[in-house]
Amino acid sequence: LKIPAVFTFLDYYMICDRGAFLLTDGKICDELEGKICKRCLSKIKLLERRLIIWLRKHLDGIITFTETSKLRLIRHGFLPEKIRVIYTYTIPEEFKDKIKEKVKNSAFIVASFHEHKGLHIILQAWPKVLAKIPEAKLTMVGSGPKEDKDRIENLVKNLKIINSIEFLGNKENEEVLNLILEKEVAIVPEQWPSEFGPLALVEALAMGTPVVASKIGSAPDFIQDGINGFLASGEEEWIKK
């Protein structure tokens, strides 16, 4: 019909059927779409991908949120001149300039329990944090499949840190924003290249809460290490930051 078509990349489904560049064994896939996809997809899904590939070739424009994401799209064959980087996030009006008293020595994570979210890295580092700050408290928002939930709960039990950890489960966004306001530090331990935020990172920065994040994906697009937050790439760095 010759109607201009623009696609906004909210995730990577357009170039990875799993949307997250993760293989079925949970490992990060850094390959271009092609033969490797047979490891993850059924024949029907592979046929569906052909339609998507045809569709994306006919897009007039693409919107993505970070320069890091733009570079990935170019690597996957999208034309640079068709891509615009526009970050659209704004704080809800009722939270603009809102202030809450910070809970001393408090940290906060919002993430699912899937391994690529990196909760295990923070939990393994937490005993060393407690050795330096015994009164430190870590609040976790999120959930996951029973297998992942059991893995996280067993790790907390084995590390004997249950008294310093608070599990809140899933929460509405308004509750999450209030938690961000009252905690001293937001932690974003992503272990895969989430190149659109992730949202908790952007929300924390937007409301003036320092962030410690994995040095991966688009986190360096948002965080200047030591200025508006900290970037870490290993357990020892996490403890130091």
Side-chain angles (χ1 to χ4, degrees):
L1 298 177
K2 297 183 179 181
I3 299 171
V6 177
F7 184 83
T8 301
F9 269 81
L10 298 174
D11 58 36
Y12 282 128
Y13 178 74
M14 197 59 116
I15 50 180
C16 171
D17 190 74
R18 294 172 65 83
F21 292 114
L22 292 173
L23 299 172
T24 51
D25 60 5
K27 294 181 180 178
I28 294 174
C29 175
D30 198 35
E31 300 291 328
L32 297 179
E33 186 172 14
K35 291 182 179 179
I36 194 170
C37 299
K38 293 180 180 179
R39 294 175 57 179
C40 296
L41 306 180
S42 65
K43 290 182 179 180
I44 293 176
K45 280 290 184 180
L46 286 169
L47 287 173
E48 182 182 291
R49 297 308 297 174
R50 290 186 181 182
L51 175 60
I52 290 174
I53 291 169
W54 178 88
L55 176 65
R56 70 193 193 200
K57 285 181 179 179
H58 291 78
L59 292 171
D60 297 287
I62 298 132
I63 295 171
T64 192
F65 297 153
T66 65
E67 290 294 336
T68 302
S69 175
K70 179 179 178 178
L71 291 174
R72 184 185 287 273
L73 296 182
I74 292 171
R75 180 170 173 253
H76 280 261
F78 289 84
L79 298 176
E81 59 269 25
K82 285 190 174 184
I83 304 171
R84 291 189 64 187
V85 178
I86 305 174
Y87 206 95
T88 58
Y89 176 78
T90 56
I91 304 172
E93 195 64 36
E94 63 270 27
F95 283 90
K96 288 183 178 178
D97 302 318
K98 187 175 181 180
I99 298 174
K100 291 187 74 173
E101 185 176 351
K102 297 288 187 183
V103 177
K104 191 172 177 58
N105 298 317
S106 61
F108 168 77
I109 297 176
V110 53
S112 73
F113 289 178
H114 293 92
E115 192 167 5
H116 64 272
K117 288 296 183 179
L119 296 181
H120 60 287
I121 289 178
I122 301 304
L123 294 176
Q124 288 165 355
W126 199 248
K128 295 180 182 180
V129 174
L130 292 173
K132 295 183 178 182
I133 311 173
E135 63 274 21
K137 295 290 183 182
L138 177 63
T139 300
M140 299 172 61
V141 172
S143 63
K146 186 179 185 305
E147 180 181 348
D148 288 310
K149 185 178 179 183
D150 290 345
R151 175 175 55 82
I152 292 297
E153 289 179 348
N154 287 335
L155 183 57
V156 170
K157 182 179 178 180
N158 292 337
L159 292 170
K160 299 178 181 179
I161 55 176
I162 187 64
N163 292 331
S164 66
I165 306 290
E166 182 181 22
F167 291 98
L168 298 183
N170 291 324
K171 293 292 180 183
E172 295 295 328
N173 193 52
E174 183 177 337
E175 294 175 277
V176 172
L177 293 176
N178 276 310
L179 283 167
I180 289 174
L181 281 173
E182 71 180 34
K183 304 303 179 185
E184 285 192 319
V185 178
I187 303 175
V188 183
E190 293 277 351
Q191 294 301 298
W192 70 286
S194 179
E195 291 164 2
F196 308 107
L199 186 57
L201 181 153
V202 178
E203 288 175 332
L205 289 177
M207 293 192 289
T209 298
V211 177
V212 184
S214 297
K215 193 175 183 179
I216 191 172
S218 67
D221 288 20
F222 296 98
I223 296 176
Q224 293 178 278
D225 192 30
I227 297 176
N228 65 338
F230 299 95
L231 296 171
S233 56
E235 183 179 319
E236 292 303 318
E237 265 196 53
W238 276 105
I239 296 165
K240 181 180 177 182
K241 300 296 186 181

